[in-house]
Amino acid sequence: MKSFKILVVDDEPDIIEFISYNLKKEGYDVRSAGDGIEAIKVARDYHPDLILLDIMMPRMDGLATCEQLRSMPEFHKTLIMFLTALGNEQSEIQGLNVGADDYIIKPIKPKLLLTRIKTLLRRLHTEHHSSKITVGSFVIDDEKYVILENGNEHNLPRKEFELMKLLTSKPGKVFHRDEILSKVWGTEVIVGDRTIDVHIRKLRQRFGDDHISTIKGVGYKFEP
């Protein structure tokens, strides 16, 4: 397996040192940054597989950093995991809204953090590319990680793309919430029901309300 590259972003040097030490012990290639502006500069040169990102930082906070990274094509597929002391629901929803793949609340035991990181990276490593899928006016390009709608190209954050890919894989099928969580987020990552709702809302904002239907108490389905 390749040595994955991880960028640790936090304004507290002690936290960077502690996390970096544990990551390097596991064989990861690690670099660090002390705020969002520095993180973007380092990420452009380093091209990390995963960015471990604090929220409360000077100059540019983690939410703004994540949003800016996701606006750059070269970081559409980069995994971004928030590691923050902000444990309220609104902050978690904001984190998911700007494109985070996971949201972890400090403090967390090193072994649990490493498990969460390995889970994300394992899925990145085992990801396979398939041919383009055409569903009505949509083309799902799994290789480029883009969706074409009536010829218009949409670059989606990772989880939004995977959710859209799942729903369009079987038009008309009702995907239960448990199935969506399992196939998009995996069984080893603990997320709540609101995580699905946030991503469904983002997809509807992008593609309109006509294609994704809510089946109350069950789940969602896609109609071309």
Side-chain angles (χ1 to χ4, degrees):
M1 183 180 293
K2 61 175 281 193
S3 176
F4 286 109
K5 298 190 291 184
I6 299 178
L7 173 59
V8 181
V9 186
D10 201 295
D11 63 331
E12 297 187 40
D14 289 347
I15 291 179
I16 286 180
E17 183 179 359
F18 179 71
I19 293 175
S20 298
Y21 170 76
N22 282 280
L23 291 173
K24 289 176 181 178
K25 278 203 329 182
E26 295 295 313
Y28 295 118
D29 184 333
V30 183
R31 292 193 188 177
S32 63
D35 59 55
I37 293 175
E38 184 185 0
I40 292 171
K41 182 179 179 181
V42 173
R44 282 173 167 162
D45 294 332
Y46 183 48
H47 303 292
D49 298 294
L50 183 147
I51 299 173
L52 197 60
L53 187 60
D54 187 23
I55 289 183
M56 296 181 291
M57 298 183 294
R59 298 207 296 170
M60 180 184 289
D61 67 27
L63 294 172
T65 303
C66 182
E67 191 168 25
Q68 187 163 331
L69 286 167
R70 289 302 191 208
S71 72
M72 304 176 191
E74 63 266 39
F75 298 115
H76 284 162
K77 295 176 67 175
T78 303
L79 296 168
I80 298 179
M81 176 186 288
F82 279 119
L83 179 60
T84 176
L86 293 176
N88 61 81
E89 181 176 318
Q90 184 58 37
S91 295
E92 184 172 351
I93 290 174
Q94 284 182 309
L96 295 171
N97 266 327
V98 295
D101 295 285
D102 202 356
Y103 190 101
I104 300 174
I105 299 169
K106 299 176 183 174
I108 184 172
K109 294 181 179 180
K111 287 185 179 180
L112 181 55
L113 175 61
L114 290 170
T115 298
R116 298 282 285 265
I117 288 172
K118 286 178 182 178
T119 297
L120 282 181
L121 290 174
R122 187 183 306 121
R123 292 168 59 206
L124 179 66
H125 176 73
T126 58
E127 189 177 85
H128 65 277
H129 300 304
S130 60
S131 58
K132 296 179 182 178
I133 300 172
T134 301
V135 183
S137 60
F138 292 84
V139 177
I140 315 300
D141 191 333
D142 196 30
E143 199 163 305
K144 294 182 179 179
Y145 243 72
V146 299
I147 293 178
L148 299 175
E149 179 201 16
N150 292 317
N152 298 313
E153 184 173 297
H154 297 268
N155 292 285
L156 277 67
R158 185 180 193 83
K159 292 304 180 194
E160 289 178 33
F161 179 89
E162 292 178 357
L163 177 54
M164 190 67 173
K165 178 183 171 184
L166 174 64
L167 294 175
T168 56
S169 67
K170 295 182 179 179
K173 174 186 173 178
V174 178
F175 286 89
H176 290 244
R177 299 176 72 87
D178 288 346
E179 182 180 3
I180 293 172
L181 286 172
S182 174
K183 291 186 176 179
V184 176
W185 279 270
T187 57
E188 296 179 46
V189 176
I190 301 173
V191 295
D193 279 352
R194 66 179 180 272
T195 302
I196 300 177
D197 300 332
V198 167
H199 286 74
I200 289 290
R201 184 170 69 249
K202 297 291 284 186
L203 291 176
R204 284 173 171 159
Q205 289 172 353
R206 186 183 291 269
F207 299 115
D209 297 329
D210 297 333
H211 298 291
I212 300 176
S213 301
T214 300
I215 310 303
K216 191 172 181 180
V218 182
Y220 297 94
K221 70 175 179 177
F222 174 84
E223 298 286 358

